[in-house]
């Protein structure tokens, strides 16, 4: 992912201020610990100010740049989650999406040279000129992260779906596929609105970027690798998968380090039912067989896969991660669908969404919604899929 040679990026913290006092802090790998003078009680408020500098590396990753885009994601200090298990002080992992956060309201001002267009989480409130540069002011609803992509070569197309403006940012000259990305995103939002619950935000952006691994989800914004903007079925698949993450990861959060399946398998399953809805049962089934079932069987033929439910650090490589978390996770949901019917499973997803919107959910919350809708206890069934290592023929 370093086409122009390796150069590291960094974040250099210069100052931390609590309310109006500069304070000491410790940094251990990616964790910054601020020492408060006195205990911080529930419902108490304080203001933390960070002054920092970052270097954007020449890398087609979440934080880096390529020929056409600056990808500015996971770029600022974010509050670690504190729950009944205490602080979640996980380091960064090079596999999966090693992120876990709470929702918050963001106001972000970005100053950029005037030839740049900026796609970002939230909504653009204002754009003003200052000394030949442009200041873009964004504000968000309740979201769990803020990402932005800048390019001097963006063109855009947009369309309304419900109360949301869907925008497609594509690299100049690729209008045909920029338009297609817009259609796919629009159809996905409209279908998921109806099936899971309404998307509450006023903006959603599908953004083409120099990106090394297909797509990546952020609140109100998804990154789509620009090499997918061409013939082939993957542009639609990736746009729909990342759009499904607006519900599973975005609105209903989860610990993606401990329970990656919870957003990935749900996003895969959501993509499959999108295909069935728009293209019919046969196409849906063939996408399922080609991209998920056969893909997993192929992996299973070459090795003995570990269980779906593993900590991110326990996966051996991306192949292992995607075969078990995405593919086997979706196979479990298809098996469940065959047992309880599509209608009940979709009712369970609706309930899971309604009960956990803006929160962080766990596998237990998913099972709770499922049990409630079906009147049956699925705990053992789900955990035998999640923790089992039998081959597919024995599991199903
Ligand atoms: Zn995903």
């Amino acid at each position: 992912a370093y086409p122009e040679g390796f150069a590291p990026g960094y974040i250099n913290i210069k100052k931390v201020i609590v309310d109006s006092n500069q304070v000491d802090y410790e940094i251990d790998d990616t964790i910054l610990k601020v020492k408060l003078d006195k205990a911080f009680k529930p419902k108490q408020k304080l203001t933390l100010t960070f002054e920092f500098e970052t270097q954007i590396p020449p890398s087609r990753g979440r934080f880096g740049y390529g020929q056409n885009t600056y990808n500015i994601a996971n770029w600022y200090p974010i509050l670690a989650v504190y729950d009944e298990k205490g602080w979640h002080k996980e380091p960064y992992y090079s596999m999966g999406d090693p992120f876990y956060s709470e929702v918050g309201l963001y106001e972000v001002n970005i100053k950029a040279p005037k030839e740049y267009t900026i796609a970002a989480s939230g909504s653009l409130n204002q754009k003003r000129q200052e000394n030949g540069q442009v200041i873009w002011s964004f504000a968000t609803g309740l979201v769990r992260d803020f990402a932005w992509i800048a390019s001097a070569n963006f063109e855009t197309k947009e369309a309304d779906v419900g109360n949301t403006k869907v925008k497609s940012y594509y690299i100049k000259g690729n209008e045909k596929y920029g338009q297609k990305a817009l259609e796919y995103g629009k159809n996905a939002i409209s279908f998921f609105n109806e099936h899971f619950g309404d998307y509450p935000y006023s903006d959603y952006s599908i953004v083409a970027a120099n990106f090394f691994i297909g797509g990546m989800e952020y609140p109100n914004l998804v990154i789509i690798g620009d090499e997918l903007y061409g013939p082939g079925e993957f542009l639609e698949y990736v746009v729909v998968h990342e759009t499904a993450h607006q519900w599973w990861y975005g609105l209903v959060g989860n610990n993606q380090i401990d329970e990656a399946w919870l957003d990935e398998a749900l996003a895969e399953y959501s993509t499959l039912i999108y295909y069935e809805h728009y293209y019919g049962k046969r196409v849906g089934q063939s996408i399922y067989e080609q991209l998920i079932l056969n893909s997993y069987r192929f992996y299973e033929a070459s090795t003995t896969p570990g269980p779906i439910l593993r900590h991110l650090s326990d996966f051996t490589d991306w192949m292992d991660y995607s075969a078990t978390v995405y593919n086997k996770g979706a196979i479990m949901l298809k098996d469940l669908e065959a047992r309880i019917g599509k209608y009940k499973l979709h009712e369970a997803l609706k309930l899971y969404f309604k009960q956990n919107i803006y929160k962080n959910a766990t596998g237990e919350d998913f099972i709770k919604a499922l049990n409630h809708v079906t009147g049956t206890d699925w705990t053992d069934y789900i955990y035998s899929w999640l923790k089992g290592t039998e081959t597919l023929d024995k599991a199903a």
Side-chain angles (χ1 to χ4, degrees):
Y2 288 94
E4 285 149 63
F6 178 79
Y10 60 76
I11 177 166
N12 181 12
I13 305 285
K14 303 180 80 176
K15 208 186 269 179
V16 179
I17 296 164
V18 175
D19 292 326
S20 51
N21 306 315
Q22 198 170 328
V23 295
D24 289 338
Y25 56 89
E26 283 167 18
I27 293 178
D28 180 12
D29 191 22
T30 60
I31 301 297
L32 182 148
K33 191 166 143 192
V34 177
K35 286 184 234 161
L36 302 176
D37 316 343
K38 38 183 191 279
F40 185 52
K41 304 228 171 69
K43 310 232 159 143
Q44 215 179 319
K45 285 182 184 174
L46 63 75
T47 306
L48 271 173
T49 308
F50 293 89
E51 203 176 287
F52 64 95
E53 266 176 12
T54 64
Q55 167 87 34
I56 308 166
S59 155
R60 297 181 302 128
R62 299 177 181 105
F63 181 67
Y65 65 91
Q67 201 190 346
N68 286 310
T69 62
Y70 286 89
N71 309 338
I72 317 293
N74 309 105
W75 57 284
Y76 60 93
I78 193 166
L79 186 67
V81 172
Y82 182 80
D83 60 18
E84 59 280 359
K85 290 181 182 161
W87 289 105
H88 287 259
K89 296 183 285 187
E90 295 283 355
Y92 177 79
Y93 295 101
S94 57
M95 215 181 309
D97 300 332
F99 310 117
Y100 183 32
S101 58
E102 299 284 9
V103 295
L105 297 168
Y106 290 72
E107 283 178 19
V108 179
N109 295 308
I110 300 162
K111 191 195 271 185
K114 61 177 185 308
E115 57 276 19
Y116 279 80
T117 296
I118 293 180
S121 298
S123 303
L124 179 66
N125 278 349
Q126 198 194 39
K127 237 172 96 176
R128 63 192 161 87
Q129 300 257 3
E130 193 183 274
N131 304 326
Q133 293 200 302
V134 176
I135 299 176
W136 301 65
S137 300
F138 295 94
T140 70
L142 285 171
V143 292
R144 55 190 78 247
D145 205 345
F146 187 98
W148 54 284
I149 312 289
S151 176
N153 296 316
F154 273 152
E155 281 178 351
T156 61
K157 289 194 176 290
E158 57 183 59
D160 290 327
V161 184
N163 298 317
T164 306
K165 181 179 286 169
V166 180
K167 284 173 286 181
S168 168
Y169 293 79
Y170 55 93
I171 309 299
K172 225 169 255 173
N174 219 341
E175 189 179 347
K176 180 178 170 190
Y177 291 97
Q179 178 66 37
K180 282 185 186 285
L182 179 70
E183 296 298 322
Y184 303 148
K186 205 180 83 179
N187 290 343
I189 293 272
S190 144
F191 177 67
F192 298 147
N193 271 347
E194 206 177 297
H195 270 73
F196 307 141
D198 281 337
Y199 191 63
Y201 307 109
S202 48
D203 291 86
Y204 175 58
S205 299
I206 299 152
V207 187
N210 300 123
F211 192 62
F212 72 120
I213 186 153
M216 180 66 201
E217 68 278 15
Y218 290 97
N220 312 149
L221 180 153
V222 294
I223 298 176
I224 307 293
D226 67 337
E227 74 283 356
L228 297 177
Y229 287 68
E233 68 204 30
F234 286 106
L235 178 63
E236 182 165 15
Y237 197 90
V238 174
V239 168
V240 177
H241 173 99
E242 303 307 340
T243 303
H245 274 305
Q246 294 300 306
W247 278 260
W248 321 126
Y249 148 76
L251 288 159
V252 178
N254 59 292
N255 184 333
Q256 300 181 87
I257 296 133
D258 282 340
E259 291 189 304
W261 74 273
L262 194 50
D263 63 301
E264 292 303 350
L266 260 53
E268 286 291 77
Y269 177 74
S270 304
T271 306
L272 292 172
I273 61 176
Y274 161 100
Y275 274 95
E276 265 188 33
H277 176 79
Y278 285 107
Y279 300 98
K281 236 182 156 154
R282 272 202 18 227
V283 172
Q285 184 62 22
S286 118
I287 295 267
Y288 170 61
E289 285 172 10
Q290 278 175 50
L291 298 182
I292 293 181
L293 193 58
N294 292 346
S295 181
Y296 186 76
R297 286 192 191 284
F298 185 73
Y299 184 65
E300 201 178 57
S302 69
T303 183
T304 307
I308 299 171
L309 186 60
R310 271 180 281 170
H311 187 272
L312 259 194
S313 61
D314 293 332
F315 291 92
T316 51
D317 51 31
W318 275 97
M319 186 73 198
D320 179 28
Y321 179 73
S322 73
T324 47
V325 171
Y326 291 60
N327 298 341
K328 198 180 183 190
I331 294 168
M332 168 182 80
L333 294 170
K334 285 291 279 185
D335 185 76
L336 181 62
E337 181 195 77
R339 287 163 195 266
I340 66 175
K342 244 177 136 163
Y343 179 77
K344 289 272 183 202
L345 181 51
H346 299 180
E347 286 303 300
L349 288 171
K350 256 184 212 167
L351 182 63
Y352 170 69
F353 176 71
K354 194 175 148 198
Q355 289 178 332
N356 298 289
I357 184 167
Y358 303 126
K359 297 180 195 161
N360 276 307
T362 62
E364 298 289 331
D365 294 311
F366 174 75
I367 295 170
K368 206 159 76 181
L370 185 62
N371 291 353
H372 184 87
V373 163
T374 58
T376 307
D377 187 357
W378 292 92
T379 311
D380 292 346
Y381 169 86
I382 296 288
Y383 281 108
S384 80
W385 269 97
L386 294 179
K387 295 180 175 174
T389 51
E390 305 84 16
T391 58
L392 221 46
D393 295 324
K394 283 187 188 148

